[in-house]
Amino acid sequence: MAGHQRFSDEPPIVIEGLENKFGDFAVHQDLDLTVKRGEILGVVGGSGTGKSVLMRSIIGLQTPTAGRIEVLGHELTAHDPDEELGVRNRWGVLFQGGALFSTLTVGENVEVPLKQFYPEIDDELRKEIARYKVMMSGLPEEAVAKYPSELSGGMKKRAGLARALALDPELLFLDEPTAGLDPIGAAKFDRQTKELRDTLGLTVFLITHDLDSLYEICDRVAVLADKKVIATGTISELIDTNHPWIDEYFNGPRGRGAQSAHNLNTERAAADKGD
């Protein structure tokens, strides 16, 4: 389905001078961010810093007050319908809670973007693609025929992931994908996200509060505060910035716990390789 150049060296997301205002209240002002190709970028920030608003701006669901957003070489803030049409089938989005259509089965949910962007695909092939994406997301094959009301919270997340992968995207947007999952389920979702990135060559934009996710799978982390991205880098680089919020976030009890768990996992992986 994808006839585009997948492995360009150009950064897939470039944001310059972004401003988002709701009435007189500014959520973002002079926000800059560049996402590197092939990375898993974690996006963190306190409540009200506009993490989801930022994602919605990138994918065109929120119209910025000012600034420039370029995605996969297309300037979406130019408000050119042809520009937007040329890029919307090259990303996938997992919204909080999955955002599935309740009256459609899991398989039918996955078919929705296929029908929208590739209406020429015949019914049988479309159903087969949907089945494959459902299994790729980690769900059993029988989940294809189930309705969202028949799924657990974790299964809904995976069904949403299957739909996000329907069009073989280059970019994958994940909004709090491990929220509400138990630690084992969250760790499995993290591992799968990394495996999908490595296997499919994805670039992942990950909004999360999960410190374990940040330590285990993120190549870099962007921190939202003071209405902009105040720092972007590895966790060790961020800690060296000595910003009060960053220090409290990563050096607080939960941050220290996540770092200890990450160090233990790294030691175990190294030991397993040595056996």
Side-chain angles (χ1 to χ4, degrees):
M1 288 184 292
H4 41 264
Q5 178 63 37
R6 194 175 187 88
F7 296 108
S8 164
D9 291 332
E10 295 297 317
I13 301 174
V14 178
I15 302 170
E16 297 174 341
L18 184 69
E19 180 178 294
N20 275 305
K21 294 181 74 174
F22 297 93
D24 294 330
F25 178 70
V27 178
H28 302 136
Q29 276 186 328
D30 199 26
L31 184 153
D32 298 329
L33 178 65
T34 297
V35 180
K36 298 178 181 178
R37 186 165 296 273
E39 75 174 341
I40 299 177
L41 178 74
V43 179
V44 302
S47 297
T49 53
K51 299 180 293 295
S52 293
V53 173
L54 175 58
M55 186 190 84
R56 290 170 63 85
S57 298
I58 298 170
I59 63 176
L61 297 180
Q62 167 72 32
T63 302
T65 311
R68 174 178 171 272
I69 299 175
E70 183 179 292
V71 181
L72 298 170
H74 296 261
E75 187 175 342
L76 300 189
T77 38
H79 305 297
D80 182 340
D82 291 334
E83 286 280 322
E84 294 184 17
L85 189 62
V87 73
R88 286 184 182 276
N89 64 335
R90 296 170 64 186
W91 67 53
V93 185
L94 172 59
F95 294 100
Q96 289 190 45
L100 300 169
F101 296 108
S102 61
T103 58
L104 301 180
T105 65
V106 170
E108 289 167 344
N109 266 279
V110 179
E111 288 182 51
V112 168
L114 292 166
K115 289 180 178 179
Q116 179 182 0
F117 288 100
Y118 299 98
E120 71 278 7
I121 295 178
D122 68 64
D123 290 351
E124 286 306 311
L125 178 56
R126 190 174 62 245
K127 291 181 188 301
E128 182 62 21
I129 292 171
R131 185 187 69 83
Y132 174 69
K133 299 299 181 179
V134 168
M135 296 176 69
M136 182 187 289
S137 75
L139 288 172
E141 186 174 0
E142 55 266 27
V144 172
K146 292 185 179 294
Y147 287 90
S149 60
E150 301 176 277
L151 304 178
S152 67
M155 292 176 76
K156 287 178 183 176
K157 300 260 187 178
R158 292 187 180 277
L161 177 62
R163 187 175 61 189
L165 295 171
L167 300 177
D168 296 334
E170 295 173 67
L171 272 172
L172 183 62
F173 295 90
L174 304 176
D175 192 356
E176 299 283 4
T178 59
L181 299 184
D182 63 83
I184 294 174
K188 286 182 178 178
F189 199 101
D190 284 342
R191 285 195 299 272
Q192 185 161 33
T193 300
K194 192 169 185 178
E195 288 170 4
L196 288 169
R197 186 277 305 270
D198 294 343
T199 303
L200 303 178
L202 298 170
T203 300
V204 182
F205 184 97
L206 169 66
I207 297 173
T208 186
H209 284 105
D210 194 330
L211 282 152
D212 290 324
S213 298
L214 296 174
Y215 271 102
E216 292 300 325
I217 68 170
C218 290
D219 300 291
R220 293 191 305 151
V221 178
V223 181
L224 277 175
D226 307 325
K227 302 178 182 178
K228 63 186 69 177
V229 175
I230 59 169
T232 308
T234 64
I235 293 176
S236 59
E237 289 170 343
L238 293 177
I239 291 173
D240 287 342
T241 63
N242 295 318
H243 187 279
W245 190 90
I246 294 174
D247 184 63
E248 183 178 359
Y249 188 72
F250 287 107
N251 289 325
R254 291 187 177 183
R256 294 196 302 271
Q259 184 177 29
S260 297
H262 172 67
N263 291 341
L264 181 59
N265 289 338
T266 302
E267 290 172 5
R268 285 174 174 168
D272 289 341
K273 284 184 178 180
D275 289 343

